[in-house]
Amino acid sequence: MVFHNFVSSPRRSLSPQHVLDLANIYLENASKAQHPDIAIVLCYDTEVALIQAKKAAKRSKDQDVLHRIATAYMELGRELDNRGRSSEARESFKKAEKGGVVGPSLEASSTTVPSETKQKRGNLTAAIPQNIFTENINPPSIVTKFPKVDGRLLNTPQLACCLGLLKASNSLDNTLEPIARSWLQAVERDEDEIERLKVLSLEVIRAYKRDEIKDAKVVAEMVSLTPVLEKDMFRDLLNEFYDGVDRSGLLEFHQLDGLAQLIQGADTGCLDADDLVKILGLLCTRLRDTHQQSQKHVYQLTLTASHVLDAMADTKVSGLDRENLHEPLMSYLDSLKESSDPYLVYQAAYAYQALLCVPDDETLWQAAFRRTDKVIRGLAGLVKAVKGLDLNGFIDGLKDIHQGLAGVSDVVHAVKRTYDGALSLTGGGQGLINGLKEGFSFKHKCAWYPALRGADALIQNGEFASLKKLVCDAPCRLDPAFQWGVCQRLGEIAANPMWDTPIRQNAVAFLGDMYRNDEDWSQDAGIKEWILVILMHLASPSESAIQSAEALLQELEANTSPQKQIYIQTCRERQTSYPLKVVPPLLASPSLLDRVQNKPDVEGTLRQLRKRRLKEQGTAVYIHPQAKATLQASDGQRFALMEKVDEFLDSSQKVFLLLGDSGAGKSTFNRHLECELWNKYKKNTGRIPLHINLPAIDKPEQDMIAKQLRKAEFTEPEIRELKVHRSFILICDGYDETQQTHNLYMSNRLNQPGEWNVQMAVSCRSEYIGVDYLDRFQPVDRNSQPGPGLFQEAVITPFSPDQIRGYIKQYVSVHQPLWEAKDYERALDIIPGLNELVRNPFLMALSLEVLPRMVDPGEHLSVTHITRVALYDHFIEHWLERGKKRLSEKDLSPQAKAAFESLIDEGFAQNGIDFLKRLSAAIYKEQDGHPIVKYSRFKDGGSWKAEFFSREDEKHLLREACPLTRNGNQHRFIHRSLLEYGIALAVFDPNDWREKPLPTTLSERRGSTGSEYSFRDHDSAQEVTAPVEQGPDIYSPLFWRYFVDDPSVLHFLCERAQQEPVFKRQLLDYIEHSKLDKKWRKAAANAITILVRAGVQFISEDLRGIQIPGADLSFGVFESAQLQDADLRQVSFRGAWLHQADLSRAHMKGARFGELPFLKEDNQVKSCAYSPDGKLLAVGITSNTLTLDPRRRRIINSCVIRLYSTSNWERVWTLTDHEGHVNCLAFSPRGDRIISGSNDGTVRLWDTEAGICIRIMSDQRGANGVAFSPLGDTCASAHHFRMHVWDVKTGECRFSIGISDSRSYSSVAYSPKGDRIASGEWLLYEPAMGHTRACAVRLWDVKSGTCLHSLSGHNDSIWEVVYTLRGDRIASSSTDATVRIWDVETGVCCRVLTGHDGPVFSVAFSPQGDLIASTGDDKTVRIWDAETGTCHQIFKGHLDSVRRVAFSPKGN
């Protein structure tokens, strides 16, 4: 019976009674199970539980429980007996009897053979002298001592013995020698040692595969390891042997013999049916191909085929191809009986019998045997029965076969003839081969084959007493084939020096008795001669001499009849060849194991690397990132990045590309992934995580793995060992920072023969790759085609609101800043634009660090304006302040202290910022922006690097204070974006161009002076200011480097240009200078690119002769611009407005144009809105189709809202349910919600990520306008006759405000502070005679609902009202064809914008507040200057009135 391993089972914690109860539950379920296989499995589980219960009861000496366990064994035996498992049933009955429970089933299943049965057998039983094979013994073992932990093993058999003990430890506890038990107990507690032994076996297999010769000694070494291999390793080795036989032109006997022994020694479950069929097919092919070769070749192939068929019979392989495999093999084997070689004839007969036990796919074969199930049970249960030491059950199995064959008359007749023929044979002249041809059966299934299979299993287990009983009592005892096989096995035992001498002598004596005792063993001349051949071989000098063999031959010659003496002498003179190889060859020297153990031990170095990398990770704040599938995918289609990477690592894919914006968290994720993999790493076998910071590697396109390992202090032998034997997970970080264009996977020849075995994850900033970036990362095949299924990519998405909240909580917990989590959350909700900034993880970290010092006390958060560059300004100052404080607390040398005081006197922060600017500029100029600087004092002492990294005190202090990190001789900024900020600051530093104090102390603070972190010296010195001249700077980085393709640097510079008029004028000067001198063209190209991205428009500007080759003017406005004779080569005009621009004689080679997308909808668009991050556009669509609503049983006008991704303009969601036109839309401040108003009288709240309606707020009349409060907790809606303010969470109406019957609310807008609501109004119908058409903009107090102001001036209906981001202005559009701009505090109309030819339906402020967009019935969109009221642009193209307009959040 096969038992589960229960050593580590949770049952160990249960009491004996509880385990017994569990066993009874299993048994009860087994009795109820209808499927027999399920019932047997439950019986096995019962047995496992009873074993454990019995052990526990014995320890506690609980006799009552022991008796109940014996009763359970009795019931288990009955269940097994009912299920046809008689041998297992008898075992259970015996255990019940030992426990004092005896029942009728025990007597019925007794193994005692009644005397009358023996009488019926007659001469079917034989008597062997009692002194032969008197007992069963343990199988031989060559191990004399066991290795120490981590000790060197002597040879491969010793390794096999150790692994075998570990594999069968549960079943060997009571049979082990003390020394073996002691070793086993020690090793079982050491997981590393167990893993080491397993890895050694794997390495031996690899060494065998690398061995080119594979001689007999190497094959023998591998075969000795076979029985203890895990299935995967065994199959790997089996495939290697198979390929060796398949590839060899000439048949290699030792490989063929090794394949046979491999199959013969395979552990249970290691051989798959498909493998055996494949091998058998190969052998059949080789048999057919060897018809002209020697019989030795044919014999070896037939012997191997026999072993394969043995295994196929054991594993119940079925479904052989009759036409192509089964029938041809039978025919070939049948033809071999005509051979003149008796050994070949026997082996062919044996293989034929084995083949008969492997059914082909011919269903008629099954129909021929009415008792097929019983026959198969007898066959399939043989090996299991023998290995279970149930000899009587085994012999009963042979009787099952005999009974199964008895139902087919021709089979029985054939068997009878064979027996009769064997009995009639006499020694008088038939000769060996003629006797064999008559005695061996080829056509019918016989009992001798399974009997010999059982004998093999008994010999393997050392059960020689049982072997004797089997040979003497087997029903097929007189069958010549059975006797031939028995003699062969006895000869192998006698010749094998691994058996003890008494066993070998007993085998010789057994052969002698079979030769002498004609009464019990017949007079078959062929068998007699075979016995003599074996004895003569055993007595030959070439073998390990068995003296008893020669003595027996002499005794037989002296004490037999003259006829037999002549027969023996004839056999001696014939010198018949003996084909059986019993003794394996000596192991090779050095053996495969010796070669393996001489390899370098890389685990020690790996352990140090793992420890160092995990320590470097520290306890940083970490939020699991989310990602989307591609750059074009919507952010709403996000997934957990780590789960996707885990799927990649479990797949056969080779390259995972991780994209993301600067600061998106790619490097942080890579470090986290590395730590996760190190924590899961399995010693000796696991894949090794290797983090490679690509910028730190010199030429990573060549052998980057070896270069990284050398940096990690691996030796060359260790690197070679890792390359050959181990696999890696490469985590390549910072592809973009190396300015790479190579495909690192291909240039490093990864996963090519003889190269590194890896899976590779590589990260790159998405803004640094073009459209056709895949060829830089995808693996390609030998035809340079992308490898299918080998590549995957993901793009890190910005933080979601939940991630932002989680990050804040972690940050507050780890760093304990001045603010609490609620303070940060409030600031993010109120400060305009900040919520969008902190969706970037790095900017989130900067924001949380500097926010408390950026916000002045008493300043309302809603009017605080924070930009990306402002965050970096404050972060750098804060970092330098901390560095200054840290240095002041250090014990400096006198020279360093003097240098430190000098830096403070001059302004420490400003010196630090100057150091950062100069270093950044030098890195861009000298290293083309490569972020890592390698400095050697002796090599680089006179270079530019010494200016920053020499040992001078001031430079050393500034390096310590700046945000730099060092690894050996490598220096870099702590984040790439700080380098980009530094070069942007080198281009323009506001402190260098503002009015500076003369000559008083230098101001070190750029933000508020009210914070305790201010660097300003608080003294009463009178400051005198003087303007600093501005103009083009020939030393500016803009002059010597193109930044057009450096989006992160451009982002910083664009924000500077928007905030600093001085910088804007300087950039315009660069453009102007390029008209006269081409040396300024690089600076001019940079300048105009920055200005266009900053939103500066060049309407009607004189740009004649400007030289800006390579500039990016995408989405710029150049209406009526004069660009004659301009150098515009390679300029990008994608999306630029060039209406009436004059490009006469301009040089435009390579200029690139594009067109902005437009959406073609199937019906009228009534409303639209951008999400705060600009990534979604919502559009309200009308419907002209009336449909029947089956739920409400009425006709409805179904209208929809469509959400589009602005990255690719693919539709993300279609939101249905509105039954009337969707007149208005608004996104929540976080962008996760949309509110919509419709003619159906409802205001609906939608989830943008899930695409579902989560709340409905109803009014009886249609909604004309909606708006979210700045905090997103309330919303307002404008309806006919009434305006409502709703609670977003509950959907309840907080208050309503009515209006006169003749008017309707048309639009609502919250002030940026959220304390006021502005509303517009319509005329519902023509007023009565004498009444005015004038309509007003009204301002309401949110808390009280009272009207604060009524802004009058429009002469007709007001369609829309909007606030500026500052909240100090309101714009309104009206049917009177005007747009009016109002001062909120005074209520005065500041400006009236005229120009539309008809009603103005919509108006919007740009995010910067400097532009106004309006749309009207005249089919145009007009762009106005908010200060002057000048119309800058008129967009034409719509075919009908334009109802809604919206700026993107970036204003472009």
Side-chain angles (χ1 to χ4, degrees), residues 406-688:
V408 185
S409 58
D410 60 335
V411 175
V412 175
H413 180 67
V415 174
K416 185 176 184 300
R417 275 205 320 271
T418 303
Y419 287 163
D420 292 343
L423 291 171
S424 65
L425 286 175
T426 62
Q430 287 246 16
L432 177 60
I433 190 62
N434 293 329
L436 287 175
K437 289 180 180 179
E438 282 197 43
F440 292 172
S441 172
F442 277 79
K443 293 297 184 183
H444 304 286
K445 190 179 296 186
C446 300
W448 62 264
Y449 167 72
L452 290 176
R453 296 285 291 121
D456 290 334
L458 289 171
I459 294 170
Q460 184 178 358
N461 291 342
E463 300 179 62
F464 291 106
S466 300
L467 173 67
K468 181 172 72 171
K469 179 175 176 59
L470 169 64
V471 174
C472 294
D473 293 354
C476 55
R477 178 178 58 80
L478 296 178
D479 193 307
F482 178 70
Q483 291 189 7
W484 180 282
V486 170
C487 293
Q488 173 185 319
R489 285 153 179 78
L490 290 172
E492 291 172 351
I493 294 169
N496 192 344
M498 295 181 65
W499 293 111
D500 293 339
T501 300
I503 293 296
R504 299 172 68 188
Q505 292 174 344
N506 279 189
V508 172
F510 205 135
L511 286 169
D513 186 76
M514 291 183 68
Y515 183 86
R516 282 189 295 256
N517 192 346
D518 293 343
E519 181 179 353
D520 283 343
W521 300 103
S522 83
Q523 301 177 13
D524 191 308
I527 302 302
K528 302 298 184 185
E529 184 171 341
W530 177 224
I531 293 173
L532 292 176
V533 170
I534 293 172
L535 291 175
M536 291 174 187
H537 176 74
L538 293 174
S540 65
S542 61
E543 286 296 313
S544 302
I546 301 295
Q547 297 179 357
S548 57
E550 180 61 34
L552 177 61
L553 282 172
Q554 293 175 2
E555 187 262 334
L556 292 176
E557 284 185 282
N559 299 322
T560 57
S561 64
Q563 187 180 16
K564 285 189 175 181
Q565 290 177 0
I566 295 173
Y567 194 65
I568 294 173
Q569 188 61 37
T570 302
C571 287
R572 282 187 183 274
E573 293 173 357
R574 187 181 300 160
Q575 295 182 348
T576 307
S577 61
Y578 185 77
L580 303 179
K581 294 181 179 180
V582 177
V583 182
L586 297 175
L587 299 182
S589 180
S591 67
L592 295 175
L593 183 63
D594 291 334
R595 301 177 211 174
V596 167
Q597 292 186 114
N598 286 335
K599 71 177 184 180
D601 180 17
V602 299
E603 284 301 327
T605 314
L606 284 173
R607 188 163 52 251
Q608 294 299 320
L609 175 61
R610 175 180 180 272
K611 184 177 180 180
R612 184 167 64 249
R613 295 299 296 171
L614 290 177
K615 183 179 180 181
E616 290 173 0
Q617 175 67 4
T619 57
V621 177
Y622 181 76
I623 296 294
H624 289 282
Q626 294 183 310
K628 58 183 181 179
T630 63
L631 287 169
Q632 293 74 33
S634 167
D635 286 351
Q637 301 171 337
R638 59 176 65 199
F639 48 78
L641 177 58
M642 184 59 79
E643 292 180 6
K644 186 64 66 175
V645 172
D646 287 340
E647 291 176 9
F648 162 76
L649 295 176
D650 290 337
S651 72
S652 60
Q653 294 177 323
K654 299 304 180 184
V655 177
F656 188 96
L657 172 61
L658 179 60
L659 298 173
D661 295 336
S662 178
K666 301 179 297 297
S667 297
T668 303
F669 174 78
N670 285 339
R671 290 191 295 270
H672 180 77
L673 173 62
E674 180 194 14
C675 291
E676 287 287 307
L677 294 173
W678 273 124
N679 288 325
K680 297 176 183 177
Y681 171 72
K682 293 181 180 179
K683 184 179 177 183
N684 293 312
T685 58
R687 291 183 293 175
I688 300 167

Side-chain angles (χ1 to χ4, degrees), residues 1103-1108 1122-1129 1142-1148:
L1103 301 176
R1104 290 175 293 179
I1106 64 170
Q1107 302 187 60
I1108 53 169
Q1122 301 176 49
L1123 288 163
Q1124 303 95 312
D1125 301 304
D1127 185 352
L1128 304 177
R1129 291 171 297 167
D1142 190 345
L1143 296 168
S1144 304
R1145 301 180 304 282
H1147 301 280
M1148 301 186 65

